[in-house]
Each structure stands twice: as C-alpha cells, then as structure tokens.
Amino acid sequence: MASTLALAACDRNAAAQSAPRVAPPLKSLAAFPVGTCAMTGQFDDPQWLELATRHFSQLTPEWEMKMEYILLADGRRRWDAPDRIAAFARGHGLRLHATTLIWYAQDHPWFKSLTGERFGREYDRWIADAAGRYAGQAAGWDVVNEPVAEDGDGLRDCLYSRALGQDGYMIRAFEQARAADPQAVLFLNDYNLENNPRKGATFLRLVERLLKAGAPVGGIGTQSHLDIEIPAGQTAAFIREAAQFGLPIHVSELDASLRRDGAFDPRTPKQKRDQQTARVAELTEAFMALPPAQRYAFTVWGVRDTDSWLRRGDKDDGKDSPLLFDASGAPTPMFDAVAGAFSR
Ligand code: 9MR
C-alpha cells in the first residue's frame, strides 16, 4: 500500500515537472491594451486562437488591412479579409488597431498608373474608403508608416512624396484620415527609432513639424523591432524623448531577434537571451513609466516565435526566438521580461 502511494506521488511529481508552465494572461497584468498581430489564416489554428485570446486585448492586422491586399491593380477594393479580422476582433472582445494607410514600401500599381490631379483625388478616396470603413471600431490607424530614411538622415523619397510633396503627402494623409474617422488616434509609425538615435531624432523632428503644420497627428508609433545589441539606456532615452509631445505612444510591433545577420557571431545562446531580455525589459519599463494617458498599447508582432516574419524566408535558421511564446505555445524568457516589467 505504502509503495503504491509513493509511486502515485512520484507520478504526480513527474507530471508536474513535464507539464508546460501556464503563464498568467498577459492582458491581466496591464492597465492598457496588450496587442498582437493576426492574419486570417491563423483563425483556424486552435493553439494560436487560445494564446491570442487568453493573453491579448488588441489586434493589428499583419498585412490584410494594407493597400497591398485591399486595393486591386485596377483601383477596385476587396474587403473580405480585413472585414474578417475586424469581425474576429469584435467577436473576441479585442480592440482593433488598423494599419496601414500610406506606406512608401507599397507604391501600388494603381497609384503608379495615375497622373496629375487624379492622383490626389484617388489618394483621398483610398484613405476615405479604408479609414471610413472601420470608423467607430478602429481605436487607431497607422496613417503614415516608415517615412524616415533608412540611415536616419532625412525622409524617404517615394511615389507619394514625389506626387504630393515631401511633408505634404503626410499632412494630406492625416487630414483625410481625420475627416474619414473623427475618433481614431492617428499615428505616425516607424522602426529603428531606438536602435538608431539619429533616426529617432529625425522622426521626432518630423512629428514636431507636422504638428506645427496643423496635421492631426494623434500618436507616436515605435515599431520596436529591437536590436538587442544596442547600449543599455538607449531604448529608454528614446521613449522619454518621444513622450515630450504628450501624445499617446504605441509600441506597435515589438520583436527582438537573437540573430546577427551577415557576421560571425561568437555569442553563446545564454548571452543572446540575456541581451534580449535586458533590452525588452528596458523597453517595457520605459513604457510603464509613461503617464497612463500616454500608454496607447503595447503590441508584439506575432504570437509564437514560429508566427514571426523573422522566421520566414531565406535568413531563417529555424532557431530564432523573437516573441513571447515558443512553437509549443510555452512562454519564452522574453515573456517573463515583459510580464515582470508589467507587474513591477
Ligand atoms: O509581418 C508583415 C508581413 O507579414 C507582411 O508580408 C509585410 C508586408 O505587408 O509586412 C510585415 O509587417 C511589417 C509592418 O507592416 C511594418 N514594419 C515592419 C514589419 C515587418 O516587415
């Protein structure tokens, strides 16, 4: 009898040791929306569904609310996928953050085919249609995405700036978005703002200029695809600088790759994890230090490591772990870094 009990206890211990750790719902640790991104193809994946609805309270369409999906080559629109994402968000009590109205990277064939005044009219109509369709549901829109040049020196020259003027294309986009959706917080969104202080400074000067010009910029989006090798303090310094406008701030696409592309990498796995969790904790703590009204949302760019854009394509070595959950759905050390900072 005694030995049967001992065996049963032993079994229970073994089960407790091998059972995956159940993480507390991330959204329950934060007084602001905690976001992730979604593609309609993920809605049928039970593990994705469970994690996305348990931990997150806001959803950004990963690509199906962008020009590349909605706008067809002949100027017609298709709304099936973005409408499904919006309906999914409503159905699961998730706030919707919409992206993207104008993005240099999407120099769409339809716009390329237009000249003269027609370009401006169609530009306005695109923004009116997309922002108007989700008005009342979208809490915010990324109105202009990635306007600052890669090296941080000046602004990107693109199809839209060439047709409508540098700064002019942005001011017009913000005005049109405001007219189509009077309530959504309208964001200027960019990346490498923490990683490259020069780019961060150019971005903030642009925000200042657009506000002075009367553009209804309502929020600052910092994508936060973090370079985990930047010096300590650089991330927090950018967040503090950005906060000076008093506008809501969105950490809009956080991920933190362990990979170093194109160079010999002598770091051990532990060193990489330590760098990652330190930088992510710094960002999260800097966000937590903002006045509550400036914490728009804290969004990660995907649920599991295997959902990440960093795990697609040629550069993928199958090992990167840039997100909060691993392929089995278990929380990663990065989850603990974020959850820990939310709880402090
Ligand atoms: O992760 C997104 C990927 O699935 C899309 O194919 C791509 C183009 O729409 O956009 C990716 O997301 C990008 C985001 O919209 C802007 N910042 C960089 C993100 C990663 O490339």
Side-chain angles (χ1 to χ4, degrees):
M1 182 64 181
S3 63
T4 321
L5 279 176
L7 266 180
C10 192
D11 280 355
R12 269 201 308 277
N13 288 341
Q17 272 163 23
S18 62
R21 187 162 63 88
V22 178
L26 204 53
K27 64 184 177 190
S28 71
L29 305 176
F32 43 82
V34 182
T36 192
C37 64
M39 305 184 261
T40 52
Q42 290 165 325
F43 297 162
D44 303 324
D45 172 346
Q47 191 191 55
W48 184 90
L49 193 65
E50 204 277 319
L51 290 167
T53 53
R54 177 175 156 80
H55 291 283
F56 298 98
S57 46
Q58 179 178 283
L59 209 60
T60 307
E62 185 167 349
W63 69 282
E64 290 153 301
M65 210 172 267
K66 294 170 180 165
M67 204 185 259
E68 70 177 294
Y69 183 86
I70 297 173
L71 190 57
L72 301 176
D74 61 2
R76 282 178 302 138
R77 282 82 161 118
R78 62 173 170 169
W79 301 105
D80 54 348
D83 282 358
R84 271 191 72 201
I85 296 179
F88 177 92
R90 277 199 306 279
H92 289 87
L94 296 156
R95 190 170 83 158
L96 178 70
H97 177 78
T99 195
T100 298
L101 291 173
I102 299 297
W103 185 11
Y104 84 93
Q106 303 202 341
D107 49 353
H108 196 279
W110 169 242
F111 281 106
K112 278 188 179 150
S113 74
L114 304 173
T115 51
E117 282 183 13
R118 179 105 196 271
F119 191 102
R121 277 203 307 278
E122 287 296 316
Y123 188 83
D124 295 349
R125 190 166 74 88
W126 153 249
I127 295 171
D129 283 0
R133 191 166 183 96
Y134 302 104
Q137 184 176 355
W141 261 105
D142 294 327
V143 176
V144 176
N145 196 30
E146 306 179 353
V148 180
E150 187 65 29
D151 61 2
D153 206 5
L155 303 180
R156 290 184 198 273
D157 175 48
C158 65
L159 178 66
Y160 309 103
S161 66
R162 283 193 293 275
L164 303 170
Q166 193 55 278
D167 286 14
Y169 87 98
M170 296 188 242
I171 295 166
R172 183 160 176 163
F174 276 94
E175 284 170 349
Q176 293 299 320
R178 175 46 77 237
D181 184 343
Q183 251 124 45
V185 183
L186 304 180
F187 284 88
L188 190 71
N189 192 48
D190 214 325
Y191 68 96
N192 277 354
L193 303 178
E194 309 89 348
N195 299 339
N196 176 355
R198 190 181 178 83
K199 191 168 179 187
T202 303
F203 177 87
L204 295 179
R205 278 198 303 275
L206 173 62
V207 171
E208 191 174 16
R209 227 168 39 242
L210 294 177
L211 288 170
K212 274 202 185 122
V217 178
I220 289 176
T222 178
Q223 293 180 11
S224 302
H225 298 289
L226 289 186
D227 174 351
I228 64 174
E229 299 187 72
I230 60 174
Q234 195 167 298
T235 303
F238 173 75
I239 300 291
R240 275 197 305 273
E241 288 278 305
Q244 288 177 9
F245 292 99
L247 296 174
I249 294 186
H250 187 195
V251 169
S252 57
E253 304 178 15
L254 170 63
D255 50 33
S257 178
L258 299 170
R259 230 162 46 197
R260 182 193 287 174
D261 287 329
F264 170 69
D265 189 351
R267 295 172 299 168
T268 64
K270 178 171 182 318
Q271 283 170 330
K272 292 190 234 184
R273 270 298 184 196
D274 289 350
Q275 285 180 328
Q276 181 198 50
T277 50
R279 292 289 71 75
V280 168
E282 180 184 333
L283 173 71
T284 316
E285 281 162 12
F287 187 80
M288 295 297 291
L290 293 169
Q294 283 186 263
R295 297 181 209 151
Y296 171 80
F298 190 91
T299 298
V300 287
W301 207 236
V303 174
R304 296 159 303 193
D305 292 332
T306 39
D307 295 315
S308 173
W309 67 291
L310 296 162
R311 290 287 298 267
R312 299 174 209 151
D314 301 348
K315 288 185 184 164
D316 180 26
D317 59 3
K319 294 189 205 134
D320 205 0
S321 178
L323 291 171
L324 305 183
F325 300 94
D326 68 17
S328 76
T332 61
M334 188 168 144
F335 176 96
D336 295 328
V338 171
F342 280 178
S343 309
R344 276 196 278 281

